[in-house]
Amino acid sequence: MTATAPESSDVYYDPYDFEIDSDPYPVWKALRDTAPLYYNARYDFFAVSRFDDVEKAFGDWDTYRSGRGSVLELIRSGFTFPPGNILFEDPPVHDVHRGILARVFTPRKMLALETDVRAFCARSLDPLVGSGGFDFIADLGAQMPMRTIGMLLGIPEEDQEGIRDIIDAGLTLEEDAPKPLDQDVLERTGAMFADYLDWRARNPSDDLMTELLTAEFTDETGTTRRLTRSEVLIYVNMLAAAGNETTTRLIGWTGKVLAEHPDQLRQVAQDRSLVPDVIEEVLRFEAPSPIQARHVARDVEVHGQTVPEGSVMVLLNGSANRDERQFPDGDSFDIHRSFSRHLSFGRGLHFCLGAALARLEARVALDEVLRRWPHWEIDYDNAVQARTSTVRGWAKLPVRASAD
C-alpha cells in the first residue's frame, strides 16, 4: 500500500542523500522536535526518531516486521529471502534459526577470543610503530574484524580479504539514490562460501561452520533435523557480512571521535580502565548502523496519525541515541556519561547476537592503539566517508600518531 500522508514538516530527511549523511544529526534533531512521525513522499516511507518510539517499535515485532528485509531498498525490492538469515525473518522461523546461532555464538565463547583478537591487532599495528601514523580503517578496522570472523568460520586467511571486499561492494552507494539489489554480488559471495562449506563438510574442525553443519534442532514444524546446505550457506553469508562491516565502522568512529575530543583521549590514554566506557559512549554517539527499516504489518497509530498496513517504517536508532528526552545534552560526547542502555544493537528479538564480539573487538582495538600511540590527529584531507544506506562510517581514516 502506498501511504498518502503529506510531508510531515518543512524538514526533509533522505537516507540516500550524501550531504545529509555527512552529518545527519541536525536533521534528526529537527525530526525529533517537529516531526516525531515523519513521512517522506519521494521514497514513500515513515520514520520515527525519538528514543521511546524507536525502542517501542523494536519491541513490537508483530506490527513492525523484518521478514521482507530490514533495509528500505530491500523491502521495496520485493525480494524473497531464503530461510536462515535471522535479520530478515519473523517468528516462529526466526526464533528457531536464532536459537541455533545463540548456541554456537555465545557471549562466553566470544569473550574467550580476546587473546586472538589482541594478536590480530598487534600483527596489524606493530609494523606501523615509528611510521608517524596509520589508517584506522585500512590498517586496523578492515583487518582485525575480518581475521576474527574468518577464524571463527574457518575461512582460510588468504581468502578473507577478497570476501570482505565483495561484501563492501554490495553495500556501497555510488550515487545518492537507492542501490538496486545486486544479484551478482549475492551469487559471487554464495559461490565462494559454498566451496568452503563443502570442504568443511568433508573435513570437520573446531569452528562455527562445522558447528552449524552438525547442529541438530527442532524446526517450526516440530521436526528434529540438521540445517540444510542452503541454510548453512545463508548463515555463513550473514555472519561474514555482519562480522566485518559494523565492527569496522565502530573502530573508525572510535578513532575519529576521540581525536576530536583530545582532552578525553588524554584521559583514557592515562587510564585505560576507561576503555569499556569509551566504547559504550562511542556506540551511543555514533551508531555504526543507525538506520533500520520494517514492514508495517497492520494499521498502527503513532503520534496521533495512522500508519497504514503495508507501509515502510524507518527506525532511526542513531537519532534515538541522541534524544535529549533520554540522554541529557545528547549531542555531546562524554566518556563519563552514565546511562542504562542505547539502541545501537537494537532491542527485542532482533537484538544483535554479535554485540559481545563487537564490544570486545572495539575495546581491544582501542587498548592496543593506546599501547602504541596515546595521541593522534585526523588527516582530514585524506579521510573518506563510506556511503551506504544503513551502516555509517569511514572508508579511509588516516591519522598522524605519536608515542609522546
Side-chain angles (χ1 to χ4, degrees):
M1 177 184 295
T2 300
T4 58
E7 291 289 346
S8 303
S9 71
D10 291 336
V11 64
Y12 177 74
Y13 172 63
D14 179 344
Y16 307 110
D17 187 303
F18 289 178
E19 184 175 351
I20 293 175
D21 184 60
S22 294
D23 181 12
Y25 296 105
V27 174
W28 287 347
K29 177 173 173 50
L31 290 180
R32 295 194 302 269
D33 291 344
T34 66
L37 176 67
Y38 173 74
Y39 177 69
N40 180 296
R42 180 179 181 184
Y43 294 115
D44 188 19
F45 68 84
F46 289 87
V48 287
S49 51
R50 292 181 180 175
F51 185 94
D52 287 347
D53 295 329
V54 175
E55 184 178 48
K56 181 179 179 181
F58 273 137
D60 185 5
W61 70 265
D62 203 26
T63 300
Y64 302 102
R65 299 268 180 140
S66 299
R68 300 190 185 186
S70 60
V71 180
L72 177 58
E73 57 265 35
L74 291 184
I75 298 175
R76 289 288 179 224
S77 74
F79 183 76
T80 301
F81 299 94
N85 189 330
I86 61 173
L87 301 176
F88 304 151
E89 291 182 335
D90 300 307
V93 67
H94 165 274
D95 297 346
V96 172
H97 288 147
R98 185 182 174 96
I100 298 168
L101 271 187
R103 285 156 44 189
V104 301
F105 210 73
T106 65
R108 178 178 295 180
K109 286 183 178 179
M110 298 305 103
L111 292 174
L113 298 171
E114 180 163 341
T115 299
D116 291 314
V117 173
R118 285 195 183 277
F120 291 146
C121 285
R123 181 173 158 188
S124 296
L125 297 176
D126 281 347
L128 302 169
V129 173
S131 66
F134 66 99
D135 191 311
F136 262 93
I137 303 302
D139 296 322
L140 183 60
Q143 297 297 321
M144 181 265 286
M146 170 192 68
R147 291 185 178 127
T148 301
I149 200 66
M151 175 189 67
L152 280 169
L153 290 171
I155 297 170
E157 188 165 315
E158 61 269 20
D159 296 336
Q160 292 170 9
E161 189 166 338
I163 291 172
R164 183 203 63 206
D165 291 345
I166 291 174
I167 292 169
D168 285 348
L171 291 169
T172 300
L173 296 175
E174 302 299 333
E175 56 184 13
D176 50 355
K179 182 174 185 175
L181 190 64
D182 194 333
Q183 292 286 356
D184 180 59
V185 169
L186 294 176
E187 291 172 4
R188 286 162 63 198
T189 52
M192 293 180 75
F193 288 126
D195 292 339
Y196 305 132
L197 189 63
D198 293 340
W199 189 87
R200 186 56 75 203
R202 299 189 300 269
N203 301 274
S205 183
D206 182 21
D207 57 37
L208 282 178
M209 202 177 297
T210 299
E211 291 193 59
L212 290 171
L213 284 164
T214 58
E216 289 192 349
F217 68 102
T218 302
D219 69 17
E220 66 276 11
T221 70
T223 303
T224 300
R225 63 180 180 88
R226 291 184 178 182
L227 292 166
T228 65
R229 179 179 182 276
S230 175
E231 287 172 327
V232 176
L233 199 55
I234 294 295
Y235 271 100
V236 172
N237 267 283
M238 177 190 66
L239 289 171
N244 272 297
E245 190 66 24
T246 52
T247 306
T248 297
R249 306 307 174 203
L250 173 56
I251 291 170
W253 281 123
T254 301
K256 182 174 186 294
V257 173
L258 283 174
E260 292 176 340
H261 296 82
D263 57 329
Q264 298 187 64
L265 173 55
R266 190 178 310 112
Q267 291 176 50
V268 70
Q270 294 172 350
D271 180 6
R272 296 212 301 273
S273 70
L274 294 171
V275 164
D277 295 332
V278 171
I279 298 305
E280 219 56 35
E281 176 67 349
V282 171
L283 280 164
R284 182 201 69 83
F285 191 71
E286 289 286 10
S289 181
I291 304 162
Q292 319 301 318
R294 298 289 189 268
H295 169 76
V296 180
R298 58 190 177 195
D299 288 2
V300 60
E301 184 171 314
V302 182
H303 288 283
Q305 182 176 334
T306 298
V307 177
E309 175 185 347
S311 301
V312 176
M313 178 66 79
V314 169
L315 311 179
L316 296 172
N317 53 306
S319 168
N321 280 346
R322 295 201 185 188
D323 187 356
E324 299 83 353
R325 298 156 189 81
Q326 181 72 20
F327 305 100
D329 197 16
D331 280 328
S332 294
F333 179 76
D334 180 3
I335 62 175
H336 302 292
R337 182 187 296 273
S338 177
F339 58 95
S340 61
R341 64 195 187 278
H342 56 68
L343 299 178
S344 290
F345 293 121
R347 296 287 285 178
L349 61 85
H350 282 287
F351 181 81
C352 177
L353 267 175
L357 180 58
R359 285 180 165 118
L360 167 69
E361 290 182 277
R363 173 174 59 80
V364 171
L366 176 56
D367 193 47
E368 291 297 317
V369 168
L370 290 169
R371 284 178 187 270
R372 295 159 177 82
W373 302 282
H375 175 77
W376 58 85
E377 297 177 351
I378 305 296
D379 176 7
Y380 289 102
D381 290 340
N382 294 298
V384 177
Q385 192 167 346
R387 299 299 183 191
T388 82
S389 66
T390 181
V391 293
R392 184 171 174 270
W394 296 86
K396 297 179 181 179
L397 193 68
V399 299
R400 294 178 289 272
S402 65
D404 300 324

